[in-house]
Amino acid sequence: MSKSLASFKLTSKNLSSIVARQGGAAVQIPTYDRNDVKEGIVHVGVGGFHRAHLAVYADKLLRLPGQREWGICGIGLRPNDVSMRDVLSAQDHLYTVIERSARGSAASVVGSISSFLFAPDDREAVIAKMAHPDTRIVSLTITESGYYYNENTHELQSEHEDIQHDLANENAPVSTFGFLYAALARRYANGQRPFTVMSCDNMQKNGSITRHMLESFARLRNPDIAKWIAEKGAFPNAMVDRITPSTSQADIKSLADNFGIEDAWPVVTEPFMQWVVEDKFSDGRPPFEEVGVQVVKDVHDVEQFEKHKLRLLNASHSAMAYPGQLAGFKYVHEVMEHPVYRKFIWQMMQDEVKPLLPAIPGVDIDQYCETLMERFSNPTIMDQIPRIALNASGKIPQFIMPSIAEAIWVTAPFRRLCFVVGAWFRHIGGVDDEGKPFEIDDPMREQLQTLARAGGNDPRELLSIGMLFGDDLRTDKRFIAEVTTVMELIAKDGVMATLPKYVD
């Protein structure tokens, strides 16, 4: 594509010029009047995944006749959300989704986000927006650590400084639960229905966990409001899936060159997209099923889908992230191009994870595994290893440990899963097999690194973290022996020399 072709800054007034641009690839733009849209959804955590997933489904909804009440107000709670606020504001809250595969690329301008509130600037504005009668759903992509969930006790981390702050400062919260409670308390006082709280995070039983954490927080503030939330609130469980790598400068340039769009923060993703959501809403819901969402009646159905996804897709990501970064890989597709590593991922899924998973009517689990291998191998989205390595303390307990715990219970094989754990424990040190340092981005980094240094190649120091590891793991001799062996082998020989020992 010629670089001399005109490109236009992404704004509402330039949409027609982008579409009419001569010689460029076709671009899909919003077909609805964005000035006629109500913000029925308030979303906390406007990152790449939200903009490639829920916001895309909402954009599809707004294109349907009579569905103008499902626009999105984005919320940023953290100081670093200021960048998203500024980019979206400068682009009339428009952005581009770039889908890439071996068959080529497609670009769509998404218009479902119509405003953005930055909480550190005005916390009251966020509370008021959530409490507004137009708000029917408050959705979340806040990462696993944003739930303040103790993996060992399954209770709220009530002693956490954020939670303690919010319990003492109802009108100036910092945590998601502080904002949710303040807004719901206002709706309770006004005689309104509670909004639906809808988690879109990669956690098993995400809706149930969200309910339990918020009700626990509310009981510490006001038992009457906690009772109202328990009786009237809704927290649908959901399984979400779409690989969304971080956006690079090359992606921004390619979008301008090939599609004529100057977008400061587009989203790059794959064509595949899935969302299974429980039909449990407290104040109405959109016709999600009309835009490709699998709406199911039974929470049990969601749990089966999410168990497949978390333990196959997300666990495989972990298996590529921590050993892969130690071995010096930069991208997911590079890992999949290595024949031994590819075989390791396949055998972990087939031999150690699949036998522990439930059968789902109409789902061919072998076909699902093959689809995952194809998605992982997609070289066009350039999915970065450091991205999938983020926040390991929130991921490993969700994606890897449940399979290990079940394997312990039924005495099933788990050597490859233990390899992932041992590699993560080595990864915590932040130095790869060539001695090159890399950044550890994890909310528990300081504690993890202190214990990793103290333990050396003995995993028991790290396994002592009760909020991450249960007693069934900490006291199992076979598990400890396997992880110790992995750590010793990687320390001595490196990941790539150790990996063949875990491939049949």
Side-chain angles (χ1 to χ4, degrees):
M1 196 70 65
S2 171
K3 296 183 181 180
S4 62
L5 293 170
S7 60
F8 300 88
K9 178 178 171 61
L10 181 56
T11 62
S12 296
K13 70 176 184 178
N14 285 341
L15 286 179
S16 59
S17 299
I18 289 169
V19 171
R21 172 179 178 266
Q22 296 300 308
V27 177
Q28 187 178 64
I29 64 170
T31 56
Y32 47 89
D33 182 356
R34 297 179 74 225
N35 295 316
D36 188 36
V37 170
K38 279 186 178 180
E39 294 176 334
I41 301 172
V42 171
H43 184 82
V44 181
V46 182
F49 180 76
H50 167 68
R51 294 188 297 140
H53 196 263
L54 171 56
V56 170
Y57 284 113
D59 187 71
K60 293 176 183 291
L61 282 166
L62 293 171
R63 296 170 187 269
L64 299 178
Q67 299 299 328
R68 296 294 187 270
E69 57 188 318
W70 301 112
I72 298 172
C73 170
I75 303 291
L77 299 186
R78 304 169 303 169
N80 61 357
D81 288 323
V82 70
S83 299
M84 185 63 71
R85 177 200 66 184
D86 292 346
V87 166
L88 289 177
S89 176
Q91 298 180 174
D92 299 326
H93 300 95
L94 296 166
Y95 67 93
T96 316
V97 173
I98 309 165
E99 291 185 2
R100 287 182 180 159
S101 71
R103 292 180 293 277
S105 297
S108 302
V109 175
V110 174
S112 54
I113 300 175
S114 48
S115 66
F116 188 98
L117 296 175
F118 182 56
D121 278 352
D122 192 343
R123 299 182 189 282
E124 166 56 27
V126 174
I127 296 170
K129 184 64 179 178
M130 290 181 177
H132 194 281
D134 285 351
T135 300
R136 316 274 286 282
I137 296 170
V138 176
S139 51
L140 315 172
T141 47
I142 54 177
T143 76
E144 295 85 352
S145 60
Y147 290 83
Y148 302 92
Y149 177 65
N150 186 312
E151 292 285 349
N152 191 28
T153 65
H154 308 299
E155 299 297 334
L156 177 71
Q157 296 172 26
S158 56
E159 74 288 348
H160 193 285
E161 61 181 358
D162 293 347
I163 301 300
Q164 287 294 311
H165 172 276
D166 289 357
L167 290 171
N169 298 274
E170 178 176 335
N171 295 319
V174 295
S175 75
T176 300
F177 294 116
F179 279 100
L180 292 174
Y181 173 82
L184 286 167
R186 194 167 297 183
R187 290 174 80 116
Y188 174 78
N190 292 338
Q192 300 168 244
R193 292 180 181 180
F195 47 72
T196 297
V197 182
M198 184 172 69
S199 172
C200 297
D201 277 298
N202 275 319
M203 299 192 310
Q204 200 163 348
K205 301 182 180 178
N206 55 10
S208 299
I209 289 173
T210 306
R211 171 188 281 277
H212 184 41
M213 296 303 99
L214 182 56
E215 288 180 8
S216 298
F217 181 94
R219 280 194 297 271
L220 296 172
R221 283 286 314 171
N222 185 325
D224 290 338
I225 294 177
K227 183 172 183 288
W228 174 73
I229 293 172
E231 292 175 352
K232 304 293 186 181
F235 302 78
N237 287 281
M239 185 277 278
V240 298
D241 188 7
R242 197 173 206 191
I243 296 172
T244 310
S246 303
T247 304
S248 69
Q249 287 300 313
D251 298 325
I252 294 170
K253 184 176 185 302
S254 173
L255 180 64
D257 290 344
N258 297 328
F259 293 95
I261 303 174
E262 296 176 14
D263 184 341
W265 206 335
V267 180
V268 177
T269 189
E270 60 178 337
F272 181 92
M273 181 167 66
Q274 186 178 20
W275 188 13
V276 182
V277 64
E278 180 186 7
D279 195 359
K280 183 180 288 186
F281 292 78
S282 56
D283 194 15
R285 69 162 176 86
F288 282 131
E289 56 272 46
E290 294 187 25
V291 292
V293 181
Q294 295 167 267
V295 180
V296 296
K297 293 291 185 183
D298 189 348
V299 62
H300 176 74
D301 294 335
V302 178
E303 291 175 354
Q304 305 310 300
F305 277 102
E306 69 188 3
K307 189 174 287 188
H308 281 210
K309 189 261 182 175
L310 296 177
R311 298 196 190 181
L312 289 169
L313 185 151
N314 295 106
S316 296
H317 264 168
S318 294
M320 290 184 275
Y322 309 109
Q325 193 161 25
L326 287 173
F329 288 98
K330 290 183 172 60
Y331 298 101
V332 170
H333 72 270
E334 291 177 340
V335 173
M336 297 302 289
E337 288 169 356
H338 192 285
V340 177
Y341 215 141
R342 184 182 184 90
K343 188 177 289 187
F344 172 84
I345 297 296
W346 178 255
Q347 291 180 353
M348 187 187 82
M349 287 197 290
Q350 287 286 310
D351 300 343
E352 297 186 2
V353 179
K354 187 182 81 170
L356 302 171
L357 294 175
I360 301 176
V363 174
D364 183 333
I365 194 166
D366 288 322
Q367 181 59 51
Y368 181 66
C369 291
E370 290 173 5
T371 299
L372 290 179
M373 296 294 283
E374 180 182 351
R375 292 169 65 195
F376 296 150
S377 302
N378 183 350
T380 64
I381 61 172
M382 304 291 284
D383 198 5
Q384 304 95 332
I385 291 294
R387 181 193 75 85
I388 61 172
L390 293 172
N391 190 26
S393 63
K395 292 177 177 176
I396 293 285
Q398 291 279 338
F399 307 152
I400 297 292
M401 292 306 179
S403 294
I404 290 176
E406 289 184 23
I408 289 171
W409 181 255
V410 299
T411 321
F414 64 179
R415 290 182 68 244
R416 298 178 186 90
L417 290 161
C418 290
F419 177 87
V420 179
V421 177
W424 173 45
F425 285 177
R426 290 288 306 173
H427 180 274
I428 288 167
V431 179
D432 71 15
D433 290 344
E434 298 295 323
K436 299 175 183 176
F438 55 83
E439 183 180 357
I440 300 294
D441 191 338
D442 192 296
M444 296 182 65
R445 179 182 63 184
E446 187 174 335
Q447 181 183 5
L448 290 168
Q449 291 187 331
T450 297
L451 293 173
R453 284 192 292 269
N457 292 330
D458 186 336
R460 286 175 291 187
E461 289 284 346
L462 285 162
L463 290 172
S464 70
I465 305 176
M467 63 180 289
L468 298 184
F469 308 107
D471 293 339
D472 54 341
L473 298 167
R474 198 162 38 246
T475 60
D476 188 83
K477 293 180 180 178
R478 185 168 66 114
F479 169 65
I480 293 172
E482 287 283 4
V483 176
T484 301
T485 298
V486 172
M487 295 176 72
E488 290 174 346
L489 287 172
I490 293 176
K492 177 175 175 286
D493 300 323
V495 165
M496 297 313 293
T498 301
L499 195 63
K501 298 180 173 62
Y502 291 82
V503 174
D504 295 334

